[in-house]
C-alpha cells in the first residue's frame, strides 16, 4: 500500500511539472512571436514612431505607439502605417491602370438584351461605342483604344482627368462577340473565340469588370468557370456571389432558410413565418390549427410574377386537407394591416449591392421603385403605370405623418436590408470556401452582387421582405412601366422617367463604385490614428496586449471601404440637438445650385441631348447626407408664414419634365459599415451565436469559423469600422444613413410653382407634369379654418364645426390641366357636393385623378378631418342648480307626426331630475319593446336647447321602463343560444354592442358587408351570426334575394335548435316590409325551426340629408315611413314576434347621428391598445344605440329582467 501511494505522488508531481513546462514554453514562444511581429518586415528600413526597426524600449498601448516623432529621421516617410497603406494602394492602382479598360457583359442572351441598354447608358457622356471585331478600338485590332460618341479615338493609356469618370471604359457584349475565359500565368483573361476556331494565335486580353447576367450562380462557362475564380486579380471584379441562388435568391430557398432559422431573432424579424410545400406541410398544418379562423395567409408560387392570393385560416386548412395546394407553392403568414398610401397598398423594390463578404460591405441605392397594388382580394396585383420613386414615398410619409414616421420608415428599411446582408455574410462564405484549393486558402475578394429586394410595409412602417432576386431587372420597358414606343406616343411623366433614369443610374453608380481609383490612404491613416484605441498592425506594431492586430487583408478592406464610401467636404461633428421637422420638409430650402437647363430657344434635338447628358452627368458618387438634407438638419430653426418670404426661400431650379438635378445626386449609400453600426451589435451577436450553437441548420457549423481563424471576420472588425465610419460620416443621433442620402427637393419645386401660379391668375391650371398629383385649392362651404393652412404638399387637414351644422359642401381644384379632383374616389363627383357630418370625427377624402385615360388613374389623395362637436354639456352639473325636466317626442324640423307636439316641452309631473329618476325606479318592467315613449332630458330651461345635458337623456315609455339586465344574468340567459342577425349596418351595430356587453371586451371587429359567424362568445356557450341585407351597391339584377340570404345564414349558423335558444333578429333603416316577415315565417317552418324566437327592429331615421351616392327622403316621405313602420310592427305582433321600436327613438334625435353618408348610424366602433400589450381592443360607442340594444336584450331575456 505504501509503495502504491508513493507512486501516485510521483505521478502527480510529474504531471504538474509537465504542465508547468508546457506553459513556460508557450509563454516564451508568445514573447518571441510578439517581438518578431513588432519588427517591420520591409527592406527599406522603415521607422516605427521615433525608433528604428532595431530599437527596443517601452511602448504605449495604442495604434503605432503614439509617441512624438523624432525630428531627425533617416527617410522621408515618417509614418510607417501611412507608408504601408500608400504602398498597398499604389499596388492596386498600378494594376488597375495597367489593365485594359474593358467591361465584359456575359450571360444568357435574353438577360443581356434586356439590361444592356442600362449599362450602355451608364457610360454616357461621352458614350463609348460597343466594340465589334475589326473595328477601331477593339482589342483584336492592331491598336487598342476607345471610340467615343464624338468620333475621337483616345490613345491607349491616356489618363482621364476625372478619376471617377466611366468614359474611358469600353463595353463588350460577349453574346454578340463570343469569347472564352483563359488562364495565363495564374491570372484570368479573355480571348476571342473566332481566333481559336480560325487556327490563329490566341491573344489574351485583360479586363476590369465582368457583369454576369444569368439566372444561375454564374460559376459555369456562362460567366466564369468555377476553376478560374481563385485566379482573379486584385483589380478584377466579377458580378456574382457563388452560392447565393441556393440560399436567398429563389423563393423556396429563401423560405427554407427562414424556416430553418426561425429561432434566430434577426432572421425571424425579416419575413413573416414562411412554409415551402411540400417540405413544410406538417409544420404548416400544425401552425394553422393553432390559429383562429380569422387569421390570414398569403399563398404564392415559387417563381415571382405569378401573383399571390390571400386566404383565411379556415380556407387554408380546407386546402391542406383536400390537397389543393400544389408542390412548389409558398405559404406565409399575412404581414398585417398594410401601409395605406393614397388608399392602396404599395411594395418597394430597393437595390442592395454587396461588394465584400467576411468582412461585409453592403450598399443600398437611393433609387427605389414603389409599385401601387390592388386590394388583397385581387392578390396585391400591380396597378399598371402607378409608380413612385423611393424618395417620393419617404417624402409623402414625412408630409402626412411627420418626422418620426419618416424616420421609422427609412430606419426600419435600413435595418432590414442590413440584417439581410449580415445573414448573407454568414451564409455564402462556406459555399465559396468549397472552391478553394487545398494548397491555397481562397476567398472571392473580387466578387460582388447586385440584389433586388422587394419589401412590403405594415401600418407601423415595419417592412417584410417578400422577394430577393440576384438578377434585378434594369430594363427601360418593364411590364410595370410604359415601353419606349408608348413614351414616344405620349408626353413622359415624372413617374415613368424616374424609373428609366433611376435604373440607368443604378448601373452607372455600381460601375463607378467598382472602378473607382481614388487615393484614400491618407484618410484611412488619419481615421485610424484619431479613432482607434489599443490597436496594432501586423508587421509594424502588434502586441499581445492589443485588442486587435490588423493584417494586410484587413487594411485592404479598410482602404476599399473608404474608397467605396465616397468623400465628404467636412468631417466636423454635427449638432446633436438638430431635428428634421415635418414642417421643414414642406417649406425648407436648399443651397443655391446652378440651373441645369435654360430656356434659350434651342431646338428639340439639342434639348433632348442635354437632357440625357444632365441625367447621366459624371461626378463622384454621393452616398453621404446630401447638401439639401444637411441643410434641413442644421439650418431650420424658425417658421415664417409670410408667402413672399417663403417664395424667396426656394431655389431657382429650371425643371423641364423632371428634376434632373435629383438624379445627379443619387448614388449608393453604404449601410454596412455604417456610422449607426451600434444598432447592429445585437444582430451580429445573435447571428454568430446561431453559428456557434448550431441554432440554425442554414448556417455553417462553428468548425467553419475555426478553419477561418487566420482572418478577421465581420464580427472581429465591427467595432473598429463603426468608429471609422462615424469619423468619416458623422450623423445626428437617430438619423438613418439612407434618409440622410435622399434628395427630397422635388416637393419644394412644386411649392414654388404653386406660389407663382397663385400670383398669376391668367391661367386656370398648369401643364407641368410635376404638378399632376396636387390640388391648387380646397373649397368648403361654409368656409372653415383649416389646420394647417392649405398648401399642395400637405394632404391632411383638420377643422372643427359646432353641433348644429350637419352638412358641408366640399370640392377641390386640381393644379394640373389633365387632372381632376373628385370626392371619395376616382369615380366620385367633381363639383361642389354635400357631405354629412356626424358627431365626432368625419373624414372627407378628395382624390386627384388623371383623366387622360379610359379609366381615371388616382395620383394623390387629400383628407379633411372635420370634427363635429357634441351638444355642449352644462358645467357644473345642471341637476345641482335650478332646472326643468323636459320631454322630446319629435323635432319640429323633422315632424313625422303632425298631430303630436314638437320640440322640447316641460314635464309638469316632475319638478326635478331626482324626482324623475325616483319615479322611473317604481315603474314595472316593459313587456314590449315598442312601448310608446319619449326622450326625457334635464335642462336649465326647456326653451333654451343649449342648456340641456344630453348625456343624461333617456328614452322613457309612459307606462313602464326598460331596465338594464346585469351582465351575469345576461350571460346565463344567452347560454346555449344562437343569435342570428339579418339586416344592414344598424343591425350590425346592435350585434357588436350586445357582443361587447356579454364578453366584457371586444377583441375583433370588422365592417362586414357579407356573412359572418362569431363563435366562442360567452365562454364558448353563445354564437352570433350576421348577414348583410340588402346589398344595395350591386345592380338590382345581381343582388341576393332575401329568402336565399336568410337560408344561407341559417345554414352557416347551424346546427340550430327548434326552440327559443334560436333567436332571429331582422331589421334595417327603410327596407323592412311585411313580406319579409312572411318569408321569415316560411323559412323557419321549412327548416323545422317554428319554435325559434323572432324579433323585429323597426325602421330608423336616416337619409334626410342630401349627399352624393345615397337617396334622400323628404319630410313628407318620413311621415309615410312612420305609418309603414307602425304597420310592419303590427304585423309582427300578429305573428307573435317581439318588436323593438327604433323609429320614434331615432327620428326624435336625428341630429345625433354619427359618421356615415346615410345619417342613419347611431353607433361607432373605436379601437384602443390593451394596457401592457400590443393587442387591440374595440369599443362600441353611441348612447342611442346602447339604449335600443338594451331593449333588444330585454326582448330576448324577458325572464331575466330585474323586478319581474
Amino acid at each position: 500500500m505504501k509503495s502504491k501511494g508513493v507512486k501516485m505522488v510521483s505521478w502527480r508531481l510529474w504531471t504538474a511539472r509537465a504542465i508547468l513546462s508546457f506553459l513556460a514554453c508557450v509563454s516564451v514562444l508568445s514573447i518571441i512571436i510578439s517581438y518578431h511581429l513588432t519588427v517591420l518586415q520591409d527592406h527599406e528600413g522603415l521607422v516605427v514612431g521615433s525608433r528604428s526597426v532595431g530599437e527596443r524600449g517601452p511602448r504605449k498601448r495604442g495604434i503605432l505607439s503614439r509617441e512624438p516623432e523624432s525630428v531627425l529621421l533617416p527617410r522621408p516617410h515618417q509614418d510607417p502605417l501611412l507608408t504601408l497603406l500608400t504602398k498597398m494602394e499604389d499596388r492596386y492602382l498600378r494594376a488597375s491602370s495597367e489593365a485594359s479598360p474593358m467591361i465584359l457583359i456575359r450571360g444568357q442572351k435574353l438577360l443581356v438584351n434586356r439590361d444592356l441598354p442600362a449599362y450602355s447608358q451608364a457610360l454616357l457622356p461621352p458614350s463609348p461605342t460597343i466594340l465589334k471585331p475589326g473595328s477601331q478600338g477593339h482589342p483584336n485590332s492592331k491598336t487598342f483604344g476607345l471610340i467615343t460618341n464624338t468620333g475621337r479615338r483616345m490613345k491607349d493609356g491616356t489618363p482621364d482627368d476625372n478619376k471617377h469618370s466611366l468614359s474611358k471604359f469600353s463595353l463588350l457584349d460577349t453574346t454578340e462577340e463570343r469569347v472564352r475565359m483563359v488562364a495565363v500565368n495564374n491570372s484570368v483573361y479573355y480571348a476571342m473565340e473566332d481566333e481559336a476556331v480560325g487556327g490563329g494565335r490566341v491573344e489574351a486580353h485583360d479586363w476590369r469588370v465582368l457583369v454576369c447576367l444569368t439566372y444561375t450562380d454564374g460559376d459555369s462557362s456562362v460567366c466564369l468557370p468555377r476553376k478560374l475564380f481563385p485566379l482573379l486579380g486584385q483589380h478584377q471584379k466579377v458580378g456574382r456571389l457563388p452560392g447565393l441562388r441556393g440560399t436567398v435568391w429563389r423563393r423556396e430557398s429563401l423560405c427554407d432558410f427562414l424556416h430553418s432559422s426561425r429561432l434566430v431573432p434577426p432572421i425571424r424579424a425579416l419575413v413573416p413565418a414562411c412554409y415551402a410545400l411540400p417540405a413544410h406541410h406538417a409544420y404548416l398544418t400544425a401552425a394553422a390549427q393553432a390559429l383562429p379562423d380569422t387569421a390570414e395567409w398569403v399563398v404564392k408560387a415559387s417563381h415571382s410574377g405569378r401573383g399571390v392570393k390571400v386566404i383565411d385560416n379556415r380556407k387554408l386548412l380546407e386546402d391542406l386537407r383536400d390537397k389543393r395546394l400544389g408542390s412548389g407553392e409558398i405559404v406565409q403568414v399575412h404581414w398585417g394591416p398594410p401601409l395605406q398610401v393614397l388608399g392602396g397598398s404599395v411594395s418597394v423594390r430597393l437595390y442592395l449591392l454587396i461588394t465584400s463578404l467576411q468582412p461585409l460591405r453592403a450598399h443600398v441605392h437611393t433609387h427605389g421603385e414603389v409599385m401601387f397594388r390592388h386590394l388583397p382580394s385581387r392578390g396585391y396585383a400591380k396597378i399598371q403605370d402607378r409608380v413612385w420613386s423611393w424618395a417620393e414615398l419617404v417624402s409623402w410619409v414625412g408630409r402626412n405623418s411627420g418626422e418620426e414616421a419618416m424616420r421609422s420608415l427609412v430606419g426600419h428599411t435600413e435595418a432590414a436590408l442590413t440584417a439581410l446582408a449580415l445573414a448573407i455574410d454568414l451564409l455564402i462564405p462556406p459555399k465559396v470556401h468549397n472552391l478553394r484549393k487545398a494548397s491555397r486558402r481562397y476567398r472571392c475578394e473580387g466578387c460582388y452582387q447586385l440584389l433586388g429586394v422587394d419589401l412590403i410595409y405594415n401600418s407601423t412602417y415595419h417592412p417584410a421582405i417578400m422577394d430577393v432576386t440576384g438578377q434585378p431587372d434594369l430594363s427601360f420597358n418593364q411590364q410595370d412601366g410604359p415601353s419606349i414606343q408608348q413614351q414616344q406616343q405620349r408626353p413622359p411623366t415624372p413617374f415613368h422617367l424616374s424609373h428609366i433614369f433611376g435604373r440607368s443610374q443604378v448601373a452607372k453608380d455600381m460601375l463607378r463604385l467598382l472602378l473607382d481609383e481614388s487615393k484614400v490612404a491618407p484618410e484611412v491613416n488619419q481615421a485610424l490614428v484619431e479613432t482607434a484605441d489599443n490597436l496594432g498592425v501586423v508587421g509594424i506594431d502588434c502586441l499581445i496586449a492589443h485588442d486587435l492586430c490588423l493584417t494586410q487583408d484587413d487594411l485592404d478592406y479598410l482602404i476599399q471601404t473608404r474608397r467605396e464610401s465616397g468623400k465628404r467636404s467636412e468631417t466636423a461633428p454635427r449638432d446633436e440637438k438638430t431635428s428634421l421637422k415635418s414642417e421643414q420638409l414642406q417649406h425648407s430650402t436648399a443651397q443655391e445650385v446652378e440651373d441645369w437647363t435654360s430656356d434659350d430657344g434651342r431646338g428639340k434635338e439639342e434639348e433632348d441631348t442635354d437632357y440625357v447628358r444632365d441625367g447621366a452627368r459624371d461626378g463622384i458618387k454621393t452616398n453621404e447626407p446630401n447638401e439639401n438634407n444637411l441643410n434641413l438638419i442644421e439650418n431650420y430653426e424658425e417658421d415664417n408664414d409670410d408667402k413672399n418670404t417663403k417664395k424667396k426661400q426656394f431655389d431657382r431650379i429650371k425643371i423641364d419634365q423632371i428634376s434632373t438635378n435629383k438624379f445627379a445626386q443619387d448614388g449608393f449609400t453604404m449601410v454596412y459599415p455604417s456610422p449607426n453600426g451600434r444598432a447592429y451589435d445585437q444582430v451580429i451577436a445573435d447571428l454568430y451565436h446561431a453559428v456557434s450553437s448550431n441554432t440554425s441548420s442554414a448556417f455553417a457549423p462553428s468548425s467553419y469559423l475555426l478553419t477561418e481563424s487566420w482572418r478577421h471576420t465581420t464580427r472581429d472588425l465591427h467595432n473598429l469600422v463603426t468608429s471609422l465610419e462615424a469619423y468619416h460620416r458623422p450623423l445626428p443621433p437617430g438619423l438613418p444613413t439612407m434618409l440622410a442620402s435622399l434628395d427630397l427637393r422635388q416637393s419644394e419645386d412644386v411649392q414654388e410653382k404653386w406660389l407663382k401660379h397663385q400670383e398669376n391668375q391668367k391661367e386656370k391650371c398648369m401643364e407641368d407634369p410635376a404638378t399632376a398629383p396636387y390640388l391648387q385649392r380646397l373649397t368648403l362651404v361654409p368656409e372653415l379654418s383649416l389646420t394647417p393652412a392649405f398648401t399642395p404638399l400637405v394632404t391632411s387637414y383638420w377643422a372643427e364645426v359646432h353641433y348644429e351644422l350637419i352638412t358641408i359642401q366640399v370640392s377641390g381644384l386640381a393644379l394640373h390641366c389633365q387632372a381632376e379632383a373628385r370626392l371619395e374616389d376616382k369615380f366620385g363627383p367633381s363639383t361642389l357636393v354635400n357631405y354629412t357630418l356626424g358627431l365626432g370625427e368625419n373624414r372627407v377624402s378628395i382624390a386627384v385623378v388623371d383623366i387622360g385615360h379610359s379609366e381615371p388613374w388616382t395620383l394623390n389623395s387629400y383628407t379633411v378631418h372635420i370634427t363635429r362637436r357634441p351638444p355642449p354639456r352644462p358645467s357644473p352639473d345642471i341637476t345641482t342648480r335650478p332646472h326643468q325636466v323636459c320631454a322630446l317626442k319629435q323635432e319640429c324640423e323633422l315632424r313625422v307626426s303632425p298631430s303630436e307636439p314638437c320640440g322640447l316641452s316641460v314635464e309638469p309631473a316632475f319638478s326635478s331630475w331626482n324626482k324623475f329618476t325616483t319615479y322611473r325606479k317604481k315603474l314595472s318592467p316593459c313587456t314590449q319593446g315598442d312601448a310608446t315613449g319619449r326622450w326625457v332630458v334635464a335642462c336649465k330651461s326647456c326653451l333654451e336647447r343649449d342648456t340641456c345635458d344630453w348625456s343624461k337623456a333617456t328614452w322613457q315609455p309612459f307606462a313602464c321602463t326598460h331596465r338594464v339586465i346585469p351582465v351575469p344574468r345576461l350571460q346565463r340567459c344567452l347560454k346555449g343560444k344562437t343569435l342570428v342577425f339579418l339586416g344592414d349596418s344598424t343591425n350590425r351595430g346592435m350585434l357588436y354592442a350586445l357582443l361587447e356587453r356579454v364578453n366584457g371586451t371586444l377583441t375583433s371587429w370588422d365592417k362586414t358587408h357579407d356573412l359572418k359567424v362569431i363563435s366562442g362568445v360567452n365562454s364558448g356557450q353563445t354564437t352570433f351570426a350576421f348577414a348583410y341585407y340588402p346589398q344595395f351597391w350591386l345592380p338590382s339584377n345581381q343582388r341576393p334575394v332575401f329568402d336565399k340570404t336568410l337560408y344561407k345564414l341559417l345554414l352557416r349558423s347551424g346546427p340550430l335548435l327548434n326552440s327559443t335558444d334560436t333567436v332571429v333578429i331582422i331589421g334595417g333603416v327603410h327596407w323592412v316590409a311585411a313580406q319579409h316577415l312572411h318569408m321569415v315565417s316560411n323559412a323557419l317552418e321549412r327548416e323545422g325551426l317554428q319554435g325559434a324566437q323572432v324579433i323585429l327592429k323597426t325602421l330608423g331615421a336616416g337619409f334626410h340629408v342630401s349627399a352624393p351616392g345615397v337617396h334622400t327622403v323628404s319630410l313628407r316621405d318620413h311621415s309615410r315611413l312612420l305609418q309603414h313602420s307602425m304597420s310592419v310592427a303590427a304585423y309582427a305582433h300578429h305573428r307573435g314576434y317581439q318588436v323593438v321600436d327604433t323609429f320614434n327613438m331615432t327620428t326624435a334625435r336625428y341630429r345625433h347621428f354619427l359618421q356615415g353618408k346615410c345619417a342613419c348610424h347611431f353607433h361607432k366602433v373605436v379601437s384602443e391598445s390593451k394596457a401592457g400589450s400590443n393587442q387591440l381592443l374595440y369599443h362600441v360607442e353611441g348612447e342611442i344605440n346602447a339604449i335600443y340594444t338594451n331593449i333588444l336584450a330585454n326582448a330576448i331575456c324577458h325572464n331575466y329582467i330585474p323586478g319581474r
Side-chain angles (χ1 to χ4, degrees), residues 118-135:
Y119 287 97
S120 300
Q121 181 73 17
L123 301 186
L124 297 173
S127 170
T129 303
I130 297 179
L131 303 177
K132 305 291 182 183
S135 66

Side-chain angles (χ1 to χ4, degrees), residues 69-221:
E69 295 182 353
S70 175
V71 178
L72 299 177
L73 291 174
R75 299 201 177 274
H77 298 290
Q78 301 182 24
D79 190 337
L81 176 58
L82 178 59
T83 302
L84 179 59
L85 291 171
T86 303
K87 296 188 69 172
M88 294 171 61
E89 185 174 62
D90 289 344
R91 184 166 59 248
Y92 170 80
L93 296 179
R94 189 182 310 113
S96 300
S97 61
E98 293 174 355
S100 172
M102 181 62 62
I103 301 172
L104 300 182
I105 302 286
R106 288 176 64 83
Q108 298 167 344
K109 188 170 183 177
L110 179 66
L111 294 178
V112 173
N113 291 338
R114 184 194 72 182
D115 291 351
L116 186 60
Y119 287 97
S120 300
Q121 181 73 17
L123 301 186
L124 297 173
S127 170
T129 303
I130 297 179
L131 303 177
K132 305 291 182 183
S135 66
Q136 279 187 314
H138 190 273
N140 198 30
S141 304
K142 292 182 180 180
T143 58
F144 176 69
L146 173 70
I147 304 298
T148 69
N149 63 345
T150 61
R152 284 191 304 111
R153 184 169 166 275
M154 298 175 64
K155 294 182 180 180
D156 185 19
T158 301
D160 198 325
D161 293 336
N162 187 354
K163 293 285 186 182
H164 310 281
S165 174
L166 298 177
S167 60
K168 70 177 181 179
F169 290 94
S170 304
L171 200 63
L172 179 59
D173 177 7
T174 61
T175 60
E176 295 293 335
E177 311 301 332
R178 302 298 298 177
V179 304
R180 58 191 178 94
M181 309 305 292
V182 296
V184 180
N185 297 328
N186 287 328
S187 297
V188 182
Y189 297 88
Y190 76 92
M192 303 305 300
E193 205 167 73
D194 57 351
E195 295 174 343
V197 175
R201 184 175 62 88
V202 177
E203 185 175 355
H205 307 287
D206 202 355
W207 51 274
R208 289 291 306 279
V209 176
L210 193 157
V211 180
C212 185
L213 302 177
T214 175
Y215 285 123
T216 68
D217 265 339
D219 53 359
S220 63
S221 58

Side-chain angles (χ1 to χ4, degrees), residues 571-584:
T571 56
R574 306 195 178 278
D575 186 2
E576 297 182 358
K577 297 181 180 180
T578 55
S579 176
L580 188 64
K581 300 180 179 179
S582 58
E583 295 85 5
Q584 295 163 1

Side-chain angles (χ1 to χ4, degrees), residues 1068-1139:
V1069 182
H1070 291 164
W1071 59 268
V1072 180
Q1075 65 263 28
H1076 295 114
L1077 298 179
H1078 183 68
M1079 284 186 279
V1080 169
S1081 178
N1082 290 340
L1084 294 177
E1085 185 176 353
R1086 183 174 61 247
E1087 298 299 320
L1089 298 172
Q1090 303 92 324
Q1093 183 181 8
V1094 180
I1095 301 175
L1096 168 69
K1097 184 193 82 69
T1098 64
L1099 278 59
F1103 302 98
H1104 47 77
V1105 178
S1106 176
V1110 295
H1111 70 279
T1112 306
V1113 180
S1114 65
L1115 176 60
R1116 183 176 180 183
D1117 288 336
H1118 270 90
S1119 298
R1120 294 175 180 175
L1121 285 175
L1122 173 61
Q1123 299 302 319
H1124 177 70
S1125 181
M1126 292 173 63
S1127 64
V1128 174
Y1131 182 74
H1133 283 301
H1134 172 71
R1135 302 203 65 94
Y1137 298 159
Q1138 290 279 347
V1139 177

Side-chain angles (χ1 to χ4, degrees), residues 521 576 586 765 855 872:
E576 297 182 358
Q586 299 161 12
C765 56
E855 180 176 316

